[in-house]
C-alpha cells in the first residue's frame, strides 16, 4: 500500500506477519553526487550526525533507546542516496517512526554534534584512505573515470572540505535535502495498517511542504583517453593492479547483461578470471571485479594481486586475454544459466527479510518511481 502526504512524503506499507518484527527505512534522495566541488563529503557526514541529537533526543540516546527496545539501527551513504534503517519488535513501531520523524526535521546541527562527528569522519578518512593499503584507489577511479561530472569525488569526500566546512554550510545542506518531499518512508513487517498510518500522519504530517529538490541529472562526458598511473604505496605488502571501466547505469538496457557478465567473469572459484589466473596459471592470489552500478553511470574495477615471483604485467596480459575471449566467443549457455540461477536465488532469498524488502521497495521507488519492481525485476 502506498500513500503520499500533503507535504510530499511518500510512504510504502508492506505487511508481513511471518515474524513479530518491523523495519523502517527512510531513503533520502541525496548522496555525494548532490554535493559541489569544495563542499564534498556532506552526505556521508550527515549519516554520522543523524545519530547525534534532536530536539527530543539528547546526545547518544537514539542508539540507546533502540538497543533497550531490543532493536538495531544503521545507515549508509552512496553516490545517489542516504538511507537510514531501524529494526525492532513489532510492538515498537511507534518508537521507530518517532525517531525518524525527529531526525527528518529536528536534528540539532550544533557545535557539539558537528565537532564530535567531524572528528569521527576525519579519523575515518585517515583510517580508510590515508592509512589503508591501496586506500586512494576509489578517489583515483572517480577523478579519472568521471572527470567533470558529479561523480568525480568519492562518497567519503575530501578531508580539506570537511575540515573547513562551517555550521552554516551543514545547516544549509540539511535544510535543502532532509525533508519530506525528498524522502520515501517504508514500513515493513508485522503491524496494523490503520495504526501505522495514524503514527505517520501524526509524526511526519506536521511538517510543511518544502521546495522540491531539483534533479541533479547529468551525463558524464565521454572519456577522451585512457589514464595510467603507478603509485608507490608503502602500506601495501603486495603490489596490485587496478583496471577500471565505465559501465552501464542501474536499470539501463545493458545493465542486466553486464551484471551477469561480471558474475561469469568474477564470482566464485569457477569464474573465468579465478579459474584462469589463480587456479590454472597460478599467477595471482586475487583476480576479481568490483561493480559499481549508479543512477547516472556505472563502473567496473578489475583487481589483480600477483603471487610471489610474478609481475603485474603478467596479470594484465592474462586479464585482457580473458576479456578478448568474451568479445570473440561470448559466454557459454552453461555459464549464463548458472549466473542467472545464482542471481535469481539471491534476489528471492534476500526478499524474505522484512528489512531487505523495505530497502528494496525504497530503492525501486526512489530510482524508478515503481516499487512493484520488487515483484518483476
Amino acid at each position: 500500500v502506498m500513500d503520499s502526504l500533503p507535504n510530499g512524503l511518500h510512504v510504502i506499507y508492506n505487511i508481513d506477519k511471518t515474524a513479530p518484527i518491523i523495519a523502517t527505512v527512510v531513503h533520502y534522495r541525496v548522496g555525494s553526487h548532490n554535493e559541489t566541488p569544495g563542499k564534498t563529503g556532506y552526505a556521508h557526514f550527515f549519516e554520522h550526525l543523524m545519530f547525534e541529537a534532536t530536539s527530543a533526543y539528547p546526545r547518544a540516546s537514539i542508539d540507546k533507546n533502540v538497543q533497550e527496545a531490543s532493536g538495531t539501527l544503521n545507515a549508509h551513504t552512496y553516490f545517489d542516496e542516504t538511507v537510514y534503517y531501524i529494526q525492532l519488535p513489532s510492538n515498537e513501531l511507534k518508537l521507530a517512526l518517532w525517531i525518524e520523524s525527529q531526525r527528518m526535521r529536528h536534528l540539532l546541527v550544533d557545535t557539539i554534534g558537528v565537532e564530535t562527528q567531524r572528528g569521527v569522519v576525519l579519523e575515518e578518512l585517515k583510517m580508510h584512505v590515508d592509512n589503508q593499503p591501496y586506500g586512494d584507489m576509489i578517489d583515483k577511479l572517480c577523478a579519472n573515470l568521471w572527470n567533470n561530472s558529479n561523480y568525480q569525488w568519492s562518497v567519503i569526500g575530501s578531508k580539506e572540505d570537511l575540515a573547513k566546512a562551517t555550521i552554516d554550510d551543514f545547516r544549509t545542506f540539511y535544510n535543502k535535502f532532509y525533508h519530506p518531499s525528498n524522502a520515501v518512508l517504508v514500513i515493513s513487517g508485522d503491524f496494523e495498517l490503520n495504526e501505522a498510518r495514524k503514527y505517520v500522519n501524526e509524526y511526519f504530517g506536521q511538517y510543511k511542504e518544502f521546495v522540491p529538490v531539483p534533479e541533479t541529472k547529468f551525463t558524464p562526458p565521454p572519456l577522451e583517453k585512457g589514464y595510467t598511473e603507478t603509485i608507490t604505496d608503502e602500506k601495501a605488502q603486495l603490489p596490485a593492479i587496478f583496471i577500471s571501466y565505465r559501465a552501464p547505469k542501474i536499470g539501463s538496457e545493458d545493465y542486466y547483461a553486464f551484471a551477469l557478465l561480471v558474475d561469469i567473469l568474477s564470482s566464485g572459484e569457477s569464474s573465468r578470471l579465478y579459474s584462469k589466473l589463480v587456479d590454472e596459471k597460478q599467477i595471482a592470489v586475487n583476480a576479481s571485479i568490483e561493480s559499481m552500478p549508479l543512477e547516472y553511470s556505472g563502473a567496473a574495477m578489475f583487481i589483480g594481486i600477483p603471487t610471489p615471483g610474478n609481475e603485474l604485467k603478467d596479470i594484465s596480459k592474462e586479464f585482457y586475454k580473458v576479456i578478448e575471449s568474451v568479445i570473440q566467443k561470448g559466454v557459454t549457455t552453461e555459464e549464463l544459466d548458472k549466473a542467472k540461477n545464482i542471481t535469481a536465488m539471491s534476489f528471492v532469498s534476500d526478499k524474505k527479510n522484512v528489512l531487505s524488502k523495505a530497502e528494496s521497495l525504497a530503492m525501486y521507488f526512489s530510482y524508478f518511481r515503481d516499487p512493484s519492481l520488487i515483484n518483476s525485476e
Side-chain angles (χ1 to χ4, degrees):
V1 178
M2 184 163 177
D3 291 343
S4 294
L5 301 190
N7 59 21
L9 178 66
H10 299 284
V11 188
I12 299 171
Y13 302 92
N14 170 243
I15 298 174
D16 179 348
K17 294 183 175 290
T18 54
I21 297 169
I22 58 96
T24 62
V25 165
V26 180
H27 182 125
Y28 290 96
R29 283 189 59 80
V30 56
S32 59
H33 93 249
N34 298 99
E35 299 158 357
T36 56
K39 295 186 176 182
T40 65
Y42 286 22
H44 173 252
F45 178 81
F46 271 95
E47 178 195 324
H48 288 261
L49 193 64
M50 283 284 212
F51 291 84
E52 270 285 322
T54 73
S55 58
Y57 282 100
R59 293 184 65 217
S61 66
I62 292 177
D63 288 48
K64 183 171 179 285
N65 275 268
V66 171
Q67 290 164 4
E68 287 179 349
S70 301
T72 57
L73 74 169
N74 214 326
H76 73 259
T77 310
Y78 207 42
F79 291 86
D80 308 305
E81 65 187 29
T82 308
V83 184
Y84 301 88
Y85 29 97
I86 301 175
Q87 187 163 283
L88 283 160
S90 55
N91 63 334
E92 295 288 357
L93 174 62
K94 188 175 180 180
L95 173 63
L97 294 175
W98 175 242
I99 288 172
E100 293 298 11
S101 70
Q102 276 283 303
R103 299 203 286 195
M104 181 174 283
R105 289 307 318 141
H106 290 295
L107 187 70
L108 296 186
V109 187
D110 58 14
T111 302
I112 296 176
V114 165
E115 295 310 325
T116 299
Q117 294 308 320
R118 194 198 308 264
V120 170
V121 175
L122 289 174
E123 187 61 32
E124 187 177 332
L125 268 160
K126 187 186 299 183
M127 183 185 307
H128 294 295
V129 179
D130 296 344
N131 297 332
Q132 186 77 13
Y134 328 119
D136 61 353
M137 278 303 102
I138 297 299
D139 287 332
K140 297 284 186 184
L141 181 152
C142 293
N144 294 287
L145 208 56
W146 295 308
N147 191 29
N148 296 318
S149 81
N150 284 49
Y151 285 151
Q152 70 180 7
W153 51 87
S154 64
V155 174
I156 200 167
S158 152
K159 57 178 176 286
E160 291 79 15
D161 291 353
L162 288 167
K164 71 182 182 184
T166 66
I167 297 276
D168 283 343
D169 288 333
F170 288 132
R171 284 178 180 158
T172 298
F173 193 84
Y174 177 66
N175 288 325
K176 182 176 182 180
F177 293 107
Y178 293 83
H179 53 75
S181 57
N182 200 45
V184 56
L185 164 67
V186 181
I187 305 169
S188 179
D190 181 14
F191 63 90
E192 299 301 324
L193 181 59
N194 289 337
E195 181 182 39
R197 277 176 163 159
K198 173 178 173 290
Y199 292 142
V200 168
N201 287 317
E202 181 180 346
Y203 296 159
F204 294 90
Q206 62 178 307
Y207 301 134
K208 66 178 183 179
E209 183 179 7
F210 279 65
V211 176
V213 177
E215 289 282 344
T216 316
K217 291 184 177 179
F218 63 95
T219 301
L223 292 173
E224 296 180 354
K225 59 183 179 179
Y227 167 82
T228 302
E229 181 179 359
T230 300
I231 300 169
T232 301
D233 185 351
E234 295 179 353
K235 298 177 291 297
Q237 295 182 348
L238 294 171
I241 186 167
F242 301 84
I243 303 174
S244 299
Y245 296 90
R246 284 258 187 100
K249 66 181 182 180
I250 189 170
S252 64
E253 184 176 347
D254 288 330
Y255 166 71
Y256 300 97
F258 184 80
L260 291 169
L261 177 59
V262 168
D263 283 345
I264 291 168
L265 290 173
S266 173
S267 182
E269 295 186 3
S270 63
S271 65
R272 287 199 177 193
L273 287 171
Y274 193 97
S275 296
K276 178 64 71 174
L277 277 72
V278 179
D279 280 347
E280 182 183 329
K281 298 284 186 177
Q282 296 185 359
I283 60 173
V285 295
N286 180 50
S288 61
I289 296 176
E290 294 292 332
S291 186
M292 298 167 60
L294 308 177
E295 187 170 9
Y296 299 110
S297 185
M301 179 168 67
F302 166 72
I303 305 166
I305 300 177
T307 52
N310 289 288
E311 298 184 13
L312 295 176
K313 65 181 181 181
D314 300 323
I315 289 182
S316 62
K317 181 181 177 181
E318 291 300 327
F319 168 72
Y320 288 127
K321 282 185 180 179
V322 171
I323 299 302
E324 186 61 28
S325 174
V326 173
I327 293 171
Q328 297 298 328
K329 302 176 184 177
V331 301
T332 67
T333 301
E334 182 183 6
E335 286 177 315
L336 183 57
D337 287 344
K338 181 180 178 181
K340 285 184 176 182
N341 289 337
I342 291 173
T343 300
M345 182 178 69
S346 174
F347 187 91
V348 172
S349 63
D350 186 52
K351 304 304 179 288
K352 293 179 180 179
N353 178 290
V354 294
L355 178 56
S356 297
K357 283 196 288 188
E359 291 181 273
S360 294
L361 288 164
M363 183 269 288
Y364 287 130
F365 179 82
S366 183
Y367 291 139
F368 308 114
R369 289 296 188 264
D370 185 7
S372 68
L373 283 170
I374 196 170
N375 298 317
S376 60
E377 189 190 35

